[in-house]
Amino acid sequence: MAAPKPTLSVVDAVAIIVGIVIGAGIFKTPSRVAANTPNEGAFLLAWLLGGFISLIGAFCYAELATAYPHAGGEYHFLYRAFGQDIAYLFAWARATVIQTGSIAMLGFVFGDYASELFRLGEQSPALYAAFGVIVLTTLNVLGVRQGKWTQNILTAAKVLGLLLVVGVGLFAVTPLAPSPTSEKPSSGAFGLAMIFVLLTYGGWNEAAYISAELKDVRQNMQQALVWGISLITVIYLLANFAYLKGLGLTGMAKSEVVAADLLRRAMGEGGATFISLLIAISALGAMNATIFTGARTNYAWGQDFRALRFLGVWHERAHTPVNALLMQGLISLALVALGAWTRKGFSTMVDYTAPVFWFFFLLTGLTLFILRTNDPENPRPFRVPLYPLVPLLFCVVCVYMLQSSLSYTGVGALVGVAVLLAGIPALLLSHRHSSH
């Protein structure tokens, strides 16, 4: 049988890690981080800390992915460590909260920046978000797949936008003089600031899955992770330093579209329009990829559980999991409606996904201890350095982030937790269906 071969170099792996992690979030989350940090030093420290936390988490995932390589990723790790029921709840959470919440979140990034180009009334961001969900889901249902060149253009747009922000912020904008009468941003909560920071660093867990295709994985995995996440941290620090220089902490905290506001200050409306178009395109590209991969997870879930067999149907002519795509699209539209109702859009989607995301991140961190204890003979091509300190630190961070996401977030978090708990009766029904 065909199997992945080790063909990737360290440079290839670093490029993949950077490409996965740097998304549309860096154009949206800095304003939320600024609103929850008391000064510029704390603001930049949050981004530096985000890189460090991502690195220790990536080490944990790298050991799991090299010891138990499987397309199911976290689903497979949780299944081995905790059994079928926890794995089912993770799949439920991914289908109803994590993946669909990410689609709606990216929809609001698209909506906020598209509204800079042409506003559609009071609920403009939500209308654009819903439009994006409907159009991209329909394209995937019809089997229309983005070509490689299209994805390359979208990636280029994202990189160009980020370079433009850094260049303009560092070299083309005169720093704002601090005004004694200017209102200081709310000190907020550092835990809430870290939720937005770590959301922006998100994606490194996907990068650990290239382990089967990396040459000399024992040595090169560590190098790729250190170099990749270090490079991302430097890029994020430069971008945020540019935002700070051009808008100031107070200006950032008040902005819904920091990149557009920075370019507007430096180059007028033309600059704001150009960057808004680039970011809207980039957000659509990320949204399409999330719709594509999320539906495949739901398809696999439907094949594993008889009660959800309707999700595990593959449409022969379109070559797509149509039912999985339609269910995902409907849930995503409901979440866009939730964001519109709270009038906070993007922030509501972060609230909705954060507690559930960090709960399962914590469980995945714990699988490292369980599987090392229960399955000590299994080969581990890559081992976490300084075990057990590194995975223990990762689990402590996950507990802190889980507590922060429950303490400092709004109605969205309560809805997210309620949807996760609704998976328990669904699991019991699935067991009953399987026993007949």
Side-chain angles (χ1 to χ4, degrees), residues 60-418:
C60 297
Y61 267 67
E63 175 169 326
L64 290 167
T66 51
Y68 305 99
H70 192 277
E74 293 107 321
Y75 176 84
H76 180 63
F77 308 150
L78 292 167
Y79 197 111
R80 290 188 73 109
F82 294 102
Q84 188 183 53
D85 289 355
I86 293 294
Y88 178 97
L89 284 177
F90 172 73
W92 168 274
R94 192 168 162 85
T96 59
V97 181
I98 299 170
Q99 201 78 358
T100 43
S102 296
I103 292 166
M105 199 186 301
L106 286 163
F108 279 110
V109 176
F110 166 65
D112 283 333
Y113 277 93
S115 297
E116 288 287 298
L117 303 171
F118 185 79
R119 194 153 188 89
L120 300 175
E122 189 183 352
Q123 290 287 2
S124 182
L127 290 172
Y128 274 116
F131 175 76
V133 170
I134 292 167
V135 169
L136 292 176
T137 299
T138 302
L139 286 175
N140 277 278
V141 164
L142 293 174
V144 179
R145 290 182 61 181
Q146 300 271 2
K148 187 177 177 181
W149 63 271
T150 311
Q151 289 298 333
N152 289 345
I153 288 173
L154 293 169
T155 301
K158 176 173 61 183
V159 172
L160 177 61
L162 201 49
L163 289 175
L164 190 61
V165 164
V166 171
V168 167
L170 295 182
F171 305 111
V173 178
T174 51
L176 281 174
S179 168
T181 58
S182 67
E183 183 187 335
K184 292 191 77 173
S186 164
S187 60
F190 194 74
L192 182 55
M194 289 307 300
I195 289 171
F196 289 104
V197 167
L198 290 168
L199 172 75
T200 318
Y201 276 97
W204 51 259
N205 52 317
E206 308 287 335
Y209 302 143
I210 62 174
S211 55
E213 297 164 75
L214 188 61
K215 296 175 186 173
D216 191 9
V217 68
R218 192 180 187 89
Q219 180 182 340
N220 288 348
M221 176 59 79
Q222 192 160 337
Q223 283 191 36
L225 288 169
V226 171
W227 281 106
I229 293 177
S230 298
L231 186 58
I232 292 160
T233 305
V234 169
I235 292 168
Y236 281 175
L237 284 170
L238 283 172
N240 282 291
F241 188 71
Y243 289 139
L244 276 178
K245 187 183 173 195
L247 298 174
L249 196 66
T250 304
M252 286 179 67
K254 292 177 178 177
S255 174
E256 285 295 320
V257 281
V258 281
D261 286 344
L262 178 64
L263 269 288
R264 183 178 286 113
R265 184 164 179 259
M267 302 163 65
E269 287 301 324
T273 300
F274 179 69
I275 196 74
S276 296
L277 181 61
L278 280 181
I279 296 165
I281 291 169
S282 176
L284 274 182
M287 202 172 163
N288 184 64
T290 310
I291 287 170
F292 183 91
T293 57
R296 268 70 186 166
T297 307
N298 296 341
Y299 166 75
W301 186 36
Q303 290 200 315
D304 280 353
F305 291 90
R306 284 174 58 189
L308 299 168
R309 194 159 286 173
F310 73 98
L311 293 176
V313 176
W314 195 269
H315 195 283
E316 284 186 39
R317 202 177 330 140
H319 302 293
T320 55
V322 170
N323 292 346
L325 279 162
L326 291 174
M327 185 197 78
Q328 178 179 262
L330 288 172
I331 295 171
S332 300
L333 283 174
L335 295 180
V336 169
L338 173 65
W341 174 66
T342 62
R343 297 182 178 272
K344 290 181 179 177
F346 178 82
S347 291
T348 298
M349 286 305 97
V350 175
D351 292 355
Y352 178 75
T353 57
V356 177
F357 174 83
W358 285 105
F359 173 69
F360 283 107
F361 239 29
L362 171 61
L363 289 188
T364 307
L366 293 174
T367 63
L368 194 62
F369 296 103
I370 294 169
L371 293 172
R372 275 221 188 178
T373 304
N374 295 348
D375 191 18
E377 303 303 318
N378 191 78
R380 285 171 168 76
F382 174 85
R383 286 177 171 264
V384 175
L386 301 176
Y387 180 89
L389 288 177
V390 168
L392 189 61
L393 182 57
F394 177 64
C395 290
V396 168
V397 167
C398 288
V399 170
Y400 173 72
M401 295 306 299
L402 177 59
Q403 183 269 330
S404 295
S405 61
L406 289 169
S407 300
Y408 303 127
T409 48
V411 68
L414 297 176
V415 177
V417 172

